């Protein structure tokens, strides 16, 4: 999801948005957490030497990603509700379509 957003926005625009950078950091921490958990998962399914704070960080930051998406959706809906229709005055446009 984060890589898709980066591809759509472009690298510079992605890095200029604090929310996008936050989302990227959460994604990286999630990947590290999953890798760490899989590495320390025993053969019988028990967790051996798992770093609980890192796992806790993952479970706290994941809902924050959902909150960020919800805030973005809310802002987009607010912007759309302010612009109900686009008014174009065709009388001011040149007759041949060129300025």
């Amino acid at each position: 999801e984060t890589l898709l957003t980066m591809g759509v926005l472009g690298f510079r625009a992605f890095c200029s948005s604090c929310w996008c950078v936050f989302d990227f950091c959460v994604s990286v921490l999630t990947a590290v957490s999953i890798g760490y958990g899989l590495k320390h998962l025993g053969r019988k399914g028990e967790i051996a030497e798992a770093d609980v704070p890192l796992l806790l960080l993952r479970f706290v930051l994941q809902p924050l990603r959902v909150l960020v998406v919800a805030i973005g959706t809310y802002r987009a809906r607010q912007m759309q509700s302010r612009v109900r229709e686009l008014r174009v005055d065709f009388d001011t446009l040149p007759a041949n379509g060129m300025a």
Side-chain angles (χ1 to χ4, degrees):
E1 172 191 346
T2 303
L3 292 175
L4 181 65
T5 304
M6 188 183 300
V8 170
L9 294 178
F11 184 74
R12 288 182 186 240
F14 182 86
C15 290
S16 66
S17 169
C18 293
W19 288 115
C20 289
V21 172
F22 172 75
D23 193 37
F24 179 75
C25 291
V26 171
S27 297
V28 168
L29 285 173
T30 300
V32 168
S33 175
I34 290 171
Y36 186 83
L38 289 175
K39 179 182 175 188
H40 288 86
L41 190 64
R43 293 180 187 205
K44 295 180 181 177
E46 76 278 359
I47 296 177
E49 302 176 20
D51 192 7
V52 176
L54 186 60
L55 293 174
L56 181 65
L57 182 66
R58 174 184 171 220
F59 289 116
V60 169
L61 291 177
Q62 282 288 31
L64 286 176
R65 287 185 75 197
V66 174
L67 179 65
V68 168
V69 170
I71 289 171
T73 304
Y74 174 76
R75 287 181 178 173
R77 298 284 275 167
Q78 289 294 330
M79 183 180 65
Q80 290 173 352
S81 69
R82 285 187 218 128
V83 181
R84 297 224 176 248
E85 68 181 60
L86 177 62
R87 295 180 186 222
V88 178
D89 185 8
F90 290 102
D91 294 330
T92 61
L93 295 176
N96 62 0
M98 303 186 103

